[in-house]
Amino acid sequence: MFLVAWKDLDWEMTKLYFWDLFIQITTIPAHITGSKEIKLTEAPLWLLIANIAFWLLTAIMVWFILMLLWKTISVFR
């Protein structure tokens, strides 16, 4: 069943959704930074790199958790 769902995924649409999500994140709110709102389009390069690194690490952590869950489920089948 999982393999059938895997084949039916539209990878172009999936990439488009993630790209849209990334494009929409252009501002870091003031309640997160503690002082003022930071616009990433006007921010220094290091802040933009830090933002990309944060989302990359978040994606890697989610992937790792999903792999652990998949391995755990496959052991108990």
Side-chain angles (χ1 to χ4, degrees):
M1 183 170 137
F2 177 72
L3 291 176
V4 173
W6 188 260
K7 286 185 206 174
D8 291 340
L9 282 177
D10 184 2
W11 289 109
E12 293 302 318
M13 287 304 292
T14 304
K15 287 190 285 188
L16 191 64
Y17 289 143
F18 279 111
W19 184 248
D20 285 346
L21 177 65
F22 180 75
I23 293 298
Q24 289 172 9
I25 303 168
T26 57
T27 305
I28 301 176
H31 70 276
I32 293 175
T33 60
S35 58
K36 64 176 187 167
E37 191 174 81
I38 298 175
K39 294 198 178 297
L40 291 176
T41 55
E42 302 167 1
L45 183 61
W46 68 268
L47 189 57
L48 187 60
I49 292 170
N51 188 36
I52 292 170
F54 169 77
W55 286 109
L56 182 66
L57 287 175
T58 302
I60 290 171
M61 286 189 299
V62 168
W63 177 77
F64 183 73
I65 290 169
L66 289 174
M67 288 295 111
L68 281 177
L69 182 64
W70 179 66
K71 289 290 185 183
T72 304
I73 289 172
S74 67
V75 166
F76 289 109
R77 281 192 183 187

